[in-house]
Amino acid sequence: MEDYQKNIIAFQIGVEGLVQGVGFRPFVYRLARNHGLHGWVVNRTDGLTIKVEGPAASLPGFMEDLRNLAPVVSQVDEITIEQDEPEGLNGFFILASQDMTNETSEISPDIAVCPDCLEDIKNQPHRLGYPFVNCTNCGPRFTIVKDFPYDREKTTMAPFTMCDQCSEEYTDILNRRFHAQPVACSHCGPVYTLHSGSMTITSFAALLELTCSMVMQGKIIAVKATGGFHLMCDAMNDEAVSRLRKLKHRDGKPFAVMFRDLETIRLFARVSEPEALALSSWRRPIVVLNTIRPLATGVAPLLNTVGAFLPYMPFHHQLFEKLRLPALVLTSGNIAQEPIVIHNEEALGTLAEIADAVITYNRDIFNRTDDSVVRIINGKERILRRSRGYVPLPLKLDFLVDGILATGAELSNTFCIGKGNRAYLSQHIGDLKNHETYLFYEETIERFQQLFRTKPGLVAADLHPDYLSTVFARRLGLEVVSVQHHHAHIAACMAENNLNEPVIGLAFDGTGLGADGHSWGSEFMVCDFLGYDRKGHFEYMDMPGGDRAAEEPWRMGLSLLYKAYGNNMADLDLPIFKSVDNKIIAMVTGAIHKQINSPLSSGSGRLFDGVAAITGVCIHSQFHAEAPMRLESLVMPGIHDCYDVETGAAISFKPAIRQICNDMLQGVPLALIATRFHNTVTEASTKMIRKIHEETGIRKVVLSGGTFQNKYLSESLENKLLKDNFTVYTHSRVPCNDGGIALGQMAVAARKRVQG
Ligand code: ZN
Ligand code: ZN
Ligand code: FE
């Protein structure tokens, strides 16, 4: 007996990370019981605390399982172990959480329906065919959360009273639905309704049946998803897709496509191992893939990529089970640039004008979230649009950002609020120039402050005084730290990679106000968080027409041609001179010559625009970044030659432009020209970086900016730099485009605050 007593040990274990609302406490409970340990588990502000006591021999196995068998969605950042006194505890208990009114824990992002729940739809009598099935491992989270702590009454599930069966599951610690806040069944949970004309259908089986036949007939259906409405149609039906495009006032921007399953995606696109992992992860993002077989022509006009994703709601699975189609267009339910519709009434108003039927359900979406978009570049997941499945998980930084609000950029806006060392980057907000989107921005800033219990004391904003995000920042009446746009890009990537030392930063971007008043966007800087030294950039280009040059690639084409040839450019037999009116060409050239309304830009995006126009790849563009995307689509891997540039303090592409024109006139295939051009950018950049390294000794290179969404450019530049023994840092969890700017602004403001 005495020997046995000696072998009883006790420990307190702290678990930090996303461990609340994801079934972690029941998991610990089951684990402790399996290993014959007594004790308790309790939620605390930043995670949970576990006390275990029992035979010493049981502990290693318990710890191993705690690390390895944790629920899929949980994310354990840190485990701490401290020896404790045995108290002679008998049994294992889940203790009630302490009041945490002013404290927060992490709120889980929304989770795709799990395989167990899909089984339950087929087997559990009270959930047969029920489309709102969920458990602690899956279901809506952030989108239904109104406040903290994460309890049913604080979510949009509050109006639904659990039936006896559900509440039994909810309170049974050994049940998969123990404390699953959105738990529901066909007796007590939300239901779908289909509205078409004057008809409404509430029988789910009939609704599914009708939806299928309408989709097969080429109809467009608005359907409420997790974070907002989708507009849906057959992805193989040219007519349906082009009708959707027209009705939605959608320019040529590609539509996302939901495929039946992974095997089906492989029929249409190349899928690498990391791409397959991203597609089937519980986050279920849209993954940009290279197509091998076309869908309907209007899905992604003139691009060789498709944004593919897999079913993530029970409804999607149930629909595909009935539907004899490989894929559906599932695009955000909005008109033009407005935020996606989340309210039923609005859907029945605006979306009913586009769609032949609107499918709603009677649980509210509280937090709007778009589908997230990722792309695998050099084998690593890079997030391009961060929203459903990712938000609101914070980034943990190794410095304090408490009380800082970073208001972000203007076009692909996200904002960021700081609490402790955690940076809460908002979901994708969108273009603030759209009034509805701007209201969404203000509302979401308010909500994040409430949800994470923080009030800003310091604001970080873009240097550009006219960005609506900057105007908003100024109106708060707090101290504002202005951060140059490209410095913020690099700082975001540094923060994400926990770097805090001088680095060589390369920001390749469309636009952003520079310190000299010109528009920047190909900046080679030596920088840390406190400041930057601009060491090089692409030679300034005229932007005839100002902002319009960013929307009309032919303007940049003329600008580059005029610089390379002067008035002789008119003698060149190039497609641009055939597709733009002569008078307009004369007018715009005159404006460049006289420097009227032709601001200067070093934006790499503008260079890509210009080259796309000169080669005739994209003379008139219909959506943001179309020209660079189409140019990238033409690239043929395996070609390594490039054009010439002149390198001084600025890199001049004048020789390259002349060589491109010569290639054009000699009928060199566009694919070859596009590839050579990409290689030229890579080559010139590497040279510049080498030069900066020789000057400074710095070997760490940080790449950021929207142009790095270009997979070929990113991969070839990264690989070239790696070969040269540089250490290369890139984004993964934060967008390289303006969706990541807020994090950089926050990091700069935090460091400046420490410096005083
Ligand atoms: Zn589940
Ligand atoms: Zn129920
Ligand atoms: Fe930018």
Side-chain angles (χ1 to χ4, degrees):
M1 191 64 199
E2 190 135 273
D3 270 2
Y4 173 77
Q5 284 289 358
K6 258 189 221 153
N7 284 329
I8 294 289
I9 50 152
F11 283 94
Q12 278 220 21
I13 301 159
V15 185
E16 226 180 274
L18 172 63
V19 288
Q20 291 182 25
V22 292
F24 210 91
R25 284 175 305 156
F27 156 71
V28 171
Y29 174 89
R30 287 191 292 271
L31 216 56
R33 298 236 309 201
N34 288 346
H35 287 276
L37 292 164
H38 301 276
W40 44 258
V41 54
V42 67
N43 276 341
R44 61 171 208 224
T45 55
D46 54 349
L48 44 84
T49 305
I50 305 166
K51 161 108 186 211
V52 285
E53 62 179 70
S58 300
L59 196 75
F62 175 81
M63 289 308 296
E64 201 182 314
D65 287 352
L66 186 69
R67 287 202 168 90
N68 299 331
L69 304 179
V72 256
V73 177
S74 66
Q75 186 188 302
V76 175
D77 295 336
E78 207 183 331
I79 296 184
T80 53
I81 310 180
E82 260 176 66
Q83 187 130 26
D84 202 357
E85 288 302 310
E87 301 167 61
L89 295 169
N90 192 11
F92 197 89
F93 308 93
I94 295 185
L95 304 183
S97 316
Q98 290 129 3
D99 179 35
M100 298 189 292
T101 335
N102 277 312
E103 290 298 339
T104 62
S105 172
E106 307 311 356
I107 289 165
S108 166
D110 302 279
I111 310 162
V113 60
C114 76
D116 292 335
C117 282
L118 288 175
E119 276 305 303
D120 288 347
I121 299 185
K122 291 182 180 138
N123 299 318
Q124 283 190 337
H126 57 309
R127 292 203 178 83
L128 283 182
Y130 182 63
F132 291 95
V133 56
N134 66 81
C135 70
T136 44
N137 300 320
C138 77
R141 295 288 188 276
F142 173 62
T143 48
I144 61 166
V145 168
K146 291 172 133 172
D147 200 3
F148 197 80
Y150 174 60
D151 279 325
R152 190 173 173 111
E153 309 84 76
K154 302 259 171 79
T155 71
T156 58
M157 275 302 286
F160 300 91
T161 311
M162 270 184 234
C163 70
D164 290 349
Q165 236 167 332
C166 281
S167 102
E168 221 168 86
E169 294 169 317
Y170 180 86
T171 46
D172 174 6
I173 192 158
L174 292 175
N175 195 289
R176 214 175 74 245
R177 298 199 166 82
F178 177 73
H179 280 216
Q181 304 305 343
V183 68
C185 77
S186 34
H187 303 308
C188 65
V191 289
Y192 279 103
T193 307
L194 181 145
H195 314 255
S196 181
S198 57
M199 174 178 61
T200 55
I201 296 182
T202 49
S203 148
F204 188 64
L207 179 155
L208 215 49
E209 204 68 52
L210 182 62
T211 308
C212 281
S213 67
M214 288 183 84
V215 170
M216 304 290 278
Q217 286 163 32
K219 303 272 197 245
I220 295 165
I221 300 188
V223 56
K224 190 171 178 178
T226 306
F229 276 81
H230 280 137
L231 286 162
M232 168 171 88
C233 74
D234 178 0
M236 305 301 285
N237 185 327
D238 287 344
E239 218 181 295
V241 174
S242 72
R243 190 162 74 95
L244 174 57
R245 202 168 270 289
K246 210 188 278 151
L247 290 170
K248 195 173 136 69
H249 301 295
R250 172 86 155 221
D251 39 33
K253 207 166 142 196
F255 283 140
V257 178
M258 182 177 279
F259 289 83
R260 160 183 297 283
D261 50 31
L262 198 54
E263 288 64 52
T264 310
I265 298 184
R266 291 186 198 276
L267 301 175
F268 291 88
R270 252 197 310 277
V271 184
S272 68
E273 205 37 52
E275 282 163 346
L277 276 175
L279 283 162
S280 31
S281 90
W282 60 265
R283 303 178 191 273
R284 285 292 200 281
I286 294 168
V287 183
V288 180
L289 301 172
N290 278 79
T291 37
I292 50 178
R293 198 171 121 195
L295 294 134
T297 33
V299 170
L302 297 166
L303 295 176
N304 67 345
T305 53
V306 63
F309 59 153
L310 288 171
Y312 59 85
M313 292 178 85
F315 178 87
H316 301 143
H317 290 273
Q318 291 168 299
L319 187 61
F320 272 114
E321 223 159 77
K322 290 230 175 293
L323 205 58
R324 268 191 274 282
L325 291 173
L328 294 166
V329 161
L330 227 54
T331 183
S332 45
N334 57 359
I335 311 268
Q337 301 299 319
E338 288 184 0
I340 42 167
V341 172
I342 57 172
H343 299 296
N344 291 351
E345 315 77 66
E346 201 189 344
L348 292 169
T350 38
L351 295 183
E353 284 168 29
I354 299 178
D356 301 298
V358 178
I359 301 174
T360 60
Y361 57 75
N362 58 343
R363 180 182 69 210
D364 288 339
I365 295 171
F366 190 70
N367 296 307
R368 172 185 284 116
T369 55
D370 288 82
D371 294 315
S372 294
V373 182
V374 308
R375 192 172 196 184
I376 307 295
I377 296 180
N378 255 349
K380 185 168 113 178
E381 182 176 312
R382 322 279 173 113
I383 196 153
L384 306 183
R385 184 168 72 194
R386 190 174 177 277
S387 208
R388 179 182 52 76
Y390 294 83
V391 175
L393 279 187
L395 280 106
K396 281 208 179 144
L397 307 175
D398 55 8
F399 51 93
L400 288 178
V401 288
D402 201 52
I404 301 176
L405 166 67
T407 58
E410 185 175 71
L411 187 60
S412 303
N413 177 277
T414 67
F415 64 85
C416 196
I417 64 165
K419 175 150 181 151
N421 66 339
R422 283 168 290 177
Y424 291 91
L425 192 62
S426 77
Q427 69 267 46
H428 167 78
I429 302 284
D431 182 357
L432 299 185
K433 285 196 293 298
N434 175 282
H435 181 64
E436 303 299 320
T437 307
Y438 184 79
L439 297 179
F440 171 40
Y441 173 68
E442 287 195 326
E443 175 190 82
T444 311
I445 290 179
E446 200 54 52
R447 284 184 181 178
F448 265 56
Q449 289 177 23
Q450 167 64 19
L451 210 50
F452 301 110
R453 306 287 195 267
T454 168
K455 271 260 163 259
L458 180 64
V459 189
D462 197 275
L463 186 64
H464 201 305
D466 302 333
Y467 274 6
L468 289 172
S469 48
T470 310
V471 176
F472 174 85
R474 300 260 170 229
R475 276 213 312 262
L476 293 173
L478 296 163
E479 189 193 335
V480 177
V481 177
S482 286
V483 186
Q484 197 277 323
H485 190 90
H486 303 100
H487 185 212
H489 269 303
I490 301 299
C493 194
M494 289 172 66
E496 189 187 335
N497 288 289
N498 288 322
L499 283 171
N500 182 23
E501 63 198 283
V503 298
I504 300 174
L506 172 51
F508 271 174
D509 205 22
T511 182
L513 181 62
D516 58 2
H518 300 312
S519 177
W520 290 5
S522 56
E523 310 315 307
F524 297 76
M525 43 178 70
V526 168
C527 66
D528 55 18
F529 288 115
L530 291 175
Y532 64 92
D533 185 3
R534 191 187 190 208
K535 293 283 188 187
H537 57 89
F538 292 173
E539 194 174 61
Y540 281 124
M541 298 163 276
D542 294 297
M543 284 204 299
D547 286 346
R548 290 175 69 189
E551 287 152 25
E552 297 168 351
W554 59 267
R555 290 176 181 267
M556 289 314 299
L558 289 182
S559 167
L560 295 178
L561 288 171
Y562 189 75
K563 187 153 225 162
Y565 294 95
N567 284 321
N568 293 335
M569 72 178 187
D571 302 335
L572 301 167
D573 181 23
L574 292 171
I576 188 171
F577 295 117
K578 290 177 198 114
S579 52
V580 182
D581 188 88
N582 274 335
K583 276 188 217 124
I584 294 177
I585 289 180
M587 210 171 71
V588 170
T589 319
I592 300 172
H593 181 73
K594 293 185 196 131
Q595 292 291 299
I596 301 165
N597 191 22
S598 288
L600 297 178
S601 166
S602 62
S604 60
R606 296 294 83 74
L607 178 69
F608 276 77
D609 283 350
V611 171
I614 292 171
T615 50
V617 170
C618 184
I619 294 171
H620 305 278
S621 126
Q622 294 189 64
F623 63 94
H624 178 68
E626 179 181 6
M629 283 166 80
R630 281 173 53 183
L631 210 51
E632 182 196 351
S633 263
L634 289 170
V635 164
M636 291 190 296
I639 292 164
H640 301 288
D641 54 335
C642 61
Y643 300 116
D644 299 323
V645 297
E646 283 162 19
T647 317
I651 300 170
S652 166
F653 281 79
K654 210 154 86 180
I657 298 300
R658 286 169 167 270
Q659 288 166 316
I660 288 171
C661 290
N662 285 340
D663 275 359
M664 283 295 294
L665 299 176
Q666 281 169 27
V668 172
L670 288 177
L672 197 54
I673 299 176
T675 314
R676 283 177 180 160
F677 167 66
H678 276 77
N679 294 346
T680 311
V681 174
T682 304
E683 184 64 36
S685 307
T686 313
K687 262 194 201 145
M688 179 65 91
I689 288 168
R690 261 186 230 136
K691 200 176 111 194
I692 299 171
H693 162 71
E694 276 155 26
E695 214 178 283
T696 59
I698 301 172
R699 279 220 167 271
K700 295 191 172 175
V701 180
V702 175
L703 306 178
S704 186
T707 301
F708 286 114
Q709 294 174 108
N710 183 318
K711 183 176 160 97
Y712 179 78
L713 182 72
S714 292
E715 291 184 345
S716 54
L717 181 57
E718 281 171 44
N719 295 339
K720 215 169 170 57
L721 290 169
L722 288 172
K723 242 197 218 154
D724 263 13
N725 287 319
F726 285 103
T727 317
V728 183
Y729 297 88
T730 57
H731 286 286
S732 171
R733 294 172 296 151
V734 172
C736 65
N737 56 46
D738 284 5
I741 281 279
L743 178 67
Q745 294 172 342
M746 171 171 284
V748 169
R751 292 298 187 182
K752 288 198 169 162
R753 179 169 66 179
V754 172
Q755 290 286 312

